[in-house]
Amino acid sequence: MDSQAFRKHGTEMVEYICKYMETLKDRRVTPSVEPGYLRHLIPSEAPYEPEEWGRIMQDVEDKIMPGVTHWQHPRFHAYFPAGNAYESILGDMLGDGIGCIGFSWAASPACTELETIVLDWLGKAIGLPDHFLALKEGSTGGGVIQTSASECVLVSMLAARAQALKRLMAKHPNSEESHLLCKLIAYCSKEAHSCVEKAAMISFVKLRILEPDENASLRGRILAEAMEEDEQQGLVPFFVSTTLGTTGSCAFDSLEEIGKEIQRFPCIWLHVDAAYAGNSFICPELKPLLKGIEYADSFNTNPNKWLLTNFDCSTLWVRDRIRLTSALVVDPLYLKHCYDDAAIDYRHWGVPLSRRFRSLKLWFVLRSYGISGLQNYIRRHIELAKRFEQHVLKDKRFEICNQVKLGLVCFRLKGNDKLNEKLLSTINESGKLHMVPASVNDKYIIRFCAVAQNASEDDIDYAWETIVDFANELLEKEQHDELSEIINRKKEDTLAKKRSFFVRMVSDPKIYNPAINKAGTPNMSLDVTSPVVGNSRNPIIRTQASTDRNTWISWPLAFLFNSNNDEGGAKSNVSLRFRHLDTNVRPTSSSRRNSGATSSPSPDNELGFINLKKSPIRQSTSPSPRKSH
Ligand code: PLP
């Protein structure tokens, strides 16, 4: 393509994007395609001969768009926002046009310097302490753009690990590094994003995942107790990842409490992951949410979530850039330059060598909107979330499940998890709205996030009306199903009565011979509402007749009845979790004999079932899979 053609197709592409954005609401939010749909539409080999531009663009509309989830759709309320302002798109376009690879200052000075300046701008606007700002007199810190929050957490953990190992090596000079590595232990809350667990996997360190309080907030005391306990076991606490604005329910760890508690631990690096919420701290009224930041060693937020900037743009600030880079420096001759000592080389601040000119788009956004414009945008989303919260509060069939501080509302139908799962899946299947679930206080909840850049009250009202329509339908159906169930149970009771009578007829002549039994048919109806007597370990169903005659159905059958009645896991011991496997499988001695599992026997389960129990604190030495976003 020459520049003549680029001009033409570039203009067409801008037109295509504008039209896409303007007509977005006419499309389904989520695609209705099955995995592998595209394989059937696109050849299995790349074309050998060049193809016409027009044909490629036609395929975009015909083949690609049907499989796109429209994150910018006004009915998209899942996850967190994905920034997409036109100013940012143009900034990215320019960066792509310049096409430099700014791994060092010398590789493209403007790329490095603009990043440093823009990160200082944003850091100041957020209200970070001066030591995080690269250009502040006497500061040792600074900011850098990473690809994702996950990467920010990872490089912070790597830096903390290097610092801790250095300290330990100085104390135990004859020890192997690998021996010291297995002593290191990191901490986060159960509500922290799965990227912390992934970072621990990559860093090869232990991670202890702690139970937050009833507001999903990690408290200082819980952390300090865990750290003390681990120290007594000979472990070395070295890293704490806190979250301001958790993914599940936008909860805030108690940073100030945590900061104070960890002062007693000399080796600790305190990281603050504020991927979504951090952007909102540009509003003065929200700065109290940042309380305790003075204790932090690093802080990250994603302007590509809530600051109108396109992915990728995840900003990380550190208190001490030398401590960060000393974990990541490699210095081959071909990358050296004569300003090595005088300038920042961002290749030492992260995993990749090559870096795009990402600061351009953030610079475009900050200048075009101004801090005041961005504050208005954040405030607008919060207002919309509050509006949605009010809708929920007015309908007594629903409940709110988080403290709505920013743009995320967590809600659910009062009732069991299954009901809410059904509600969400039918809404999502319809393609009218898109939301995702989370687990808050061990309950399945639905997350509603104000996402669209220009979302209006009408969008929020529409979303609520749609939710109510689906809920009405579902509850009506549930009522109908409940009624059918009662009728079925009645039928089953009658059948049970007849069967039981038949059994007795065969075995007890007093019953079938009216001459012997003047009392007639015994009342043998099964009390389905409260069938369990005895103790819960050895459930026994008592028939009505049993009260009089002392006849019992012993536990295997009772267990069967009981589990049949266990609709939707409502009475189940198994806690349903969104991402975290915070359950201990505790096979009892008999099931251990069968499975050879390593867990401890359960004293409260002698029947040999596998008992899944919620564990208040889980120490993850071999990290488990967690759902990520
Ligand atoms: N941390 C938090 C609090 C998040 O909410 C998310 C994603 O939503 C992440 C980290 C991961 O972000 P990224 O996709 O940029 O790695």
Side-chain angles (χ1 to χ4, degrees):
M1 192 181 282
D2 58 17
S3 35
Q4 192 77 2
F6 177 63
R7 202 167 274 127
K8 176 177 179 298
H9 296 315
T11 311
E12 285 165 5
M13 185 63 88
V14 168
E15 185 50 40
Y16 183 85
I17 294 170
C18 291
K19 203 162 166 203
Y20 169 74
M21 296 299 284
E22 286 160 7
T23 57
L24 205 45
K25 59 178 178 306
D26 303 330
R27 299 181 189 249
R28 274 179 67 98
V29 189
T30 45
S32 60
V33 292
E34 300 283 325
Y37 93 97
L38 199 52
R39 238 185 316 132
H40 303 300
L41 301 176
I42 286 188
S44 54
E45 309 267 334
Y48 187 69
E49 297 295 340
E51 290 193 75
E52 263 182 34
W53 185 256
R55 281 194 59 193
I56 305 171
M57 283 307 290
Q58 193 55 50
D59 278 354
V60 168
E61 193 50 43
D62 297 346
K63 297 172 180 172
I64 304 297
M65 280 299 172
V68 168
T69 299
H70 302 290
W71 281 59
Q72 307 305 326
H73 199 294
R75 316 277 176 249
F76 184 95
H77 299 288
Y79 313 109
F80 284 133
N84 196 36
Y86 287 133
E87 294 82 350
S88 168
I89 298 174
L90 291 174
D92 238 357
M93 193 171 155
L94 178 60
D96 288 344
I98 293 171
C100 66
I101 305 291
F103 46 74
S104 67
W105 179 88
S108 191
C111 181
T112 297
E113 294 204 11
L114 187 64
E115 189 160 329
T116 310
I117 294 166
V118 165
L119 271 272
D120 265 23
W121 278 12
L122 185 58
K124 279 183 203 169
I126 285 173
L128 296 180
D130 284 354
H131 53 248
F132 283 116
L133 309 175
L135 302 175
K136 199 86 189 171
E137 192 73 35
S139 162
T140 52
V144 57
I145 300 179
Q146 308 280 5
T147 308
S148 65
S150 308
E151 220 172 285
C152 295
V153 172
L154 173 64
V155 297
S156 302
M157 192 182 281
L158 290 173
R161 188 184 72 166
Q163 168 188 284
L165 283 177
K166 197 170 156 200
R167 203 180 253 266
L168 285 176
M169 283 300 281
K171 233 168 130 183
H172 310 280
N174 298 324
S175 290
E176 283 277 325
E177 255 194 6
S178 57
H179 176 70
L180 298 174
L181 181 64
C182 70
K183 301 267 176 217
L184 298 185
I185 182 159
Y187 301 83
C188 70
S189 151
K190 196 178 81 176
E191 292 300 322
H193 191 268
S194 58
C195 68
V196 183
E197 202 163 331
K198 192 183 262 190
M201 274 166 79
I202 297 171
S203 307
F204 227 73
V205 291
K206 296 180 181 62
L207 175 69
R208 186 158 169 180
I209 298 172
L210 302 166
E211 195 70 21
D213 70 8
E214 66 285 1
N215 293 319
S217 163
L218 180 63
R219 307 300 299 269
R221 206 52 242 145
I222 294 284
L223 173 69
E225 277 166 19
M227 288 165 71
E228 278 157 15
E229 200 179 289
D230 291 337
E231 260 193 343
Q232 278 164 18
Q233 301 293 321
L235 296 173
V236 179
F238 82 104
F239 183 80
V240 177
S241 191
T242 56
T243 315
L244 297 183
T246 59
T247 316
S249 62
C250 201
F252 291 75
D253 287 342
S254 186
L255 185 57
E256 196 175 34
E257 275 181 21
I258 289 170
K260 282 180 184 159
E261 290 284 359
I262 62 168
Q263 294 308 302
R264 287 181 282 133
F265 299 85
C267 224
I268 280 284
W269 179 296
L270 177 60
H271 179 72
V272 180
D273 174 14
Y276 165 69
N279 299 288
S280 71
F281 305 152
I282 62 167
C283 298
E285 69 276 20
L286 296 170
K287 286 199 196 318
L289 294 172
L290 192 58
K291 218 165 154 201
I293 189 64
E294 62 277 14
Y295 296 105
D297 293 289
S298 48
F299 172 92
N300 74 271
T301 190
N302 283 18
N304 65 251
K305 287 198 193 303
W306 205 12
L307 227 41
L308 294 165
T309 312
N310 285 77
F311 186 81
D312 51 338
C313 186
S314 194
T315 45
L316 170 72
W317 289 265
V318 288
R319 171 193 287 269
D320 184 341
R321 55 182 181 251
I322 303 298
R323 282 199 284 152
L324 174 68
T325 55
S326 58
L328 300 162
V329 167
V330 277
D331 242 346
L333 188 60
Y334 51 82
L335 295 176
K336 283 190 175 299
H337 58 88
C338 57
Y339 294 108
D340 268 349
D341 296 333
I344 283 179
D345 280 352
Y346 278 124
R347 68 194 163 101
H348 301 312
W349 293 53
V351 176
L353 170 68
S354 301
R355 327 181 67 250
R356 300 193 311 119
F357 203 160
R358 291 177 288 205
S359 55
L360 269 178
K361 59 185 164 192
L362 185 53
W363 188 54
F364 275 39
V365 168
L366 287 169
R367 292 187 63 185
S368 307
Y369 283 79
I371 297 297
S372 64
L374 294 172
Q375 288 170 341
N376 289 341
Y377 163 67
I378 297 274
R379 286 178 185 135
R380 178 93 189 112
H381 273 195
I382 298 174
E383 271 169 27
L384 294 174
K386 296 271 181 204
R387 184 180 182 92
F388 185 81
E389 183 190 25
Q390 283 310 311
H391 283 317
V392 179
L393 288 171
K394 278 185 204 142
D395 191 326
K396 295 290 166 236
R397 297 170 303 170
F398 289 87
E399 60 187 328
I400 292 287
C401 310
N402 70 331
Q403 295 178 322
V404 182
K405 293 180 177 165
L406 303 179
L408 178 71
V409 184
C410 297
F411 72 103
R412 73 197 301 274
L413 268 173
K414 289 173 188 165
N416 61 29
D417 287 351
K418 200 141 203 153
L419 187 69
N420 284 284
E421 276 174 45
K422 259 190 218 162
L423 175 65
L424 182 60
S425 67
T426 39
I427 292 173
N428 281 340
E429 273 162 26
S430 77
K432 290 183 173 176
L433 290 185
H434 188 44
M435 296 175 289
V436 290
S439 174
V440 172
N441 290 334
D442 294 331
K443 277 183 182 171
Y444 181 98
I445 57 100
I446 302 172
R447 293 169 80 264
F448 178 92
C449 194
V451 166
Q453 189 177 321
N454 298 313
S456 65
E457 279 89 358
D458 286 350
D459 295 323
I460 300 302
D461 298 348
Y462 171 89
W464 177 244
E465 282 157 20
T466 306
I467 292 165
V468 167
D469 283 350
F470 278 101
N472 287 343
E473 215 170 282
L474 178 65
L475 291 173
E476 238 169 64
K477 191 173 171 303
E478 288 284 308
Q479 244 173 9
H480 178 263
D481 289 353
E482 230 170 77
L483 216 76
S484 320
E485 202 181 308
I486 291 171
I487 293 168
N488 282 342
R489 271 197 206 157
K490 253 217 136 52
K491 273 189 203 155
E492 275 167 24
D493 286 357
T494 319
L495 207 65
K497 198 195 285 178
K498 281 181 184 158
R499 275 204 198 116
S500 153
F501 184 57
F502 174 74
V503 171
R504 285 174 175 280
M505 275 169 57
V506 178
S507 60
D508 188 350
K510 281 198 283 258
I511 296 171
Y512 64 83
N513 187 345
I516 304 173
N517 182 15
K518 295 254 188 314
T521 312
N523 183 1
M524 292 289 288
S525 78
L526 195 62
D527 177 3
V528 286
T529 51
S530 55
V532 180
V533 295
N535 62 43
S536 59
R537 281 187 234 151
N538 199 359
I540 294 166
I541 290 187
R542 189 203 301 241
T543 64
Q544 195 101 59
S546 68
T547 338
D548 313 318
R549 292 163 187 256
N550 233 8
T551 55
W552 305 86
I553 299 172
S554 65
W555 71 261
L557 192 54
F559 179 76
L560 214 75
F561 278 125
N562 208 23
S563 52
N564 281 345
N565 279 342
D566 193 3
E567 277 274 311
K571 285 192 250 163
S572 170
N573 282 337
V574 182
S575 61
L576 292 174
R577 305 227 53 80
F578 167 45
R579 300 171 322 194
H580 314 282
L581 291 181
D582 68 336
T583 47
N584 281 342
V585 179
R586 305 204 304 158
T588 58
S589 45
S590 60
S591 62
R592 265 201 318 156
R593 267 198 305 280
N594 296 337
S595 67
T598 53
S599 319
S600 58
S602 163
D604 52 3
N605 184 351
E606 288 144 22
L607 297 177
F609 304 125
I610 285 184
N611 182 20
L612 289 165
K613 273 214 149 178
K614 189 169 160 286
S615 150
I617 306 170
R618 188 167 65 87
Q619 185 169 311
S620 161
T621 46
S622 56
S624 48
R626 294 165 84 188
K627 188 177 170 196
S628 316
H629 161 64

